[in-house]
Amino acid sequence: MPIEKNQVVLFHYSVRDEQDNVVEDSHGGEPNAYLHGHGGIIKGLEEALEGRDAGDTFSVTVTPDKAYGPRKPDAIQRVPIKHLMGAKRWKAGMVAQVQTEQGPRHVVVAKVGHKFADVDTNHPMAGRTLTFDIEVIDVRAATSEEIAHGHAHGPGGHHH
């Protein structure tokens, strides 16, 4: 069954940066699940998966405009250190979680003062050209509930 809109796709992946360093890998855990055609994964990867079948393996290089976007130089914000979650002591380069109006968000600590920290709100992979090594595990028709909710349910997907 070729991948097309309103199908649930399960896949394993690894992501490499411009220096060929593996920055993320799903092997060793559950495969990622998403509802195709609903924007649940980055655009460049969704486009590359279109028409593929279970059992396919391939690599695709995705530029920032179809991945996490360009880095925004004005994305530095000053926040009270007490709002950073994930560690007791903070240093530049560490990833923290902050609570926003849109829910929890990961930020990178840029500078630490006594009571405040400057954090970079860009996605950690923004501005980077990424190469994905993909293994399509399964493709199935989405349920009406998954289509209504706009995401996959079950293993590797969303749990209500």
Side-chain angles (χ1 to χ4, degrees), residues 1-4 6-8 51-54 136 138-142:
M1 167 184 298
I3 297 171
E4 58 186 41
N6 293 334
Q7 290 179 328
V8 173
R52 304 279 183 165
D53 283 297
V136 181
D138 191 30
V139 180
R140 66 169 173 81

Side-chain angles (χ1 to χ4, degrees), residues 3 5 7 34-52 60 62 66:
I3 297 171
K5 186 170 179 148
Q7 290 179 328
Y34 79 99
L35 180 59
H36 193 77
H38 290 259
I41 61 173
I42 62 172
K43 185 177 182 178
L45 190 52
E46 189 167 58
E47 288 173 356
L49 281 156
E50 181 85 25
R52 304 279 183 165
V60 60
V62 181
K66 291 196 175 183

Side-chain angles (χ1 to χ4, degrees), residues 71-79 107-111 117-122:
R71 289 196 63 73
K72 299 176 190 139
D74 61 345
I76 302 291
Q77 293 185 356
R78 183 158 287 170
V79 297
V107 297
V108 176
V109 176
K111 182 179 172 187
D118 291 346
V119 297
D120 185 344
T121 61
N122 282 297

Side-chain angles (χ1 to χ4, degrees), residues 24-141:
E24 200 169 287
D25 191 333
S26 72
H27 296 84
E30 289 284 330
N32 190 54
Y34 79 99
L35 180 59
H36 193 77
H38 290 259
I41 61 173
I42 62 172
K43 185 177 182 178
L45 190 52
E46 189 167 58
E47 288 173 356
L49 281 156
E50 181 85 25
R52 304 279 183 165
D53 283 297
D56 285 357
T57 58
F58 65 96
S59 294
V60 60
T61 298
V62 181
T63 55
D65 61 308
K66 291 196 175 183
Y68 296 98
R71 289 196 63 73
K72 299 176 190 139
D74 61 345
I76 302 291
Q77 293 185 356
R78 183 158 287 170
V79 297
I81 290 174
K82 66 182 180 182
H83 292 303
L84 301 179
M85 295 178 277
K88 291 192 188 290
R89 292 186 159 267
W90 294 99
K91 294 185 212 169
M94 293 176 75
V95 176
Q97 187 174 25
V98 294
Q99 197 64 31
T100 71
E101 291 174 2
Q102 292 81 32
R105 182 171 183 164
H106 287 96
V107 297
V108 176
V109 176
K111 182 179 172 187
V112 181
H114 290 297
K115 294 188 180 198
F116 292 89
D118 291 346
V119 297
D120 185 344
T121 61
N122 282 297
H123 188 284
M125 292 189 210
R128 297 167 82 179
T129 296
L130 304 168
T131 299
F132 291 82
D133 298 314
I134 303 296
E135 177 188 1
V136 181
I137 305 298
D138 191 30
V139 180
R140 66 169 173 81

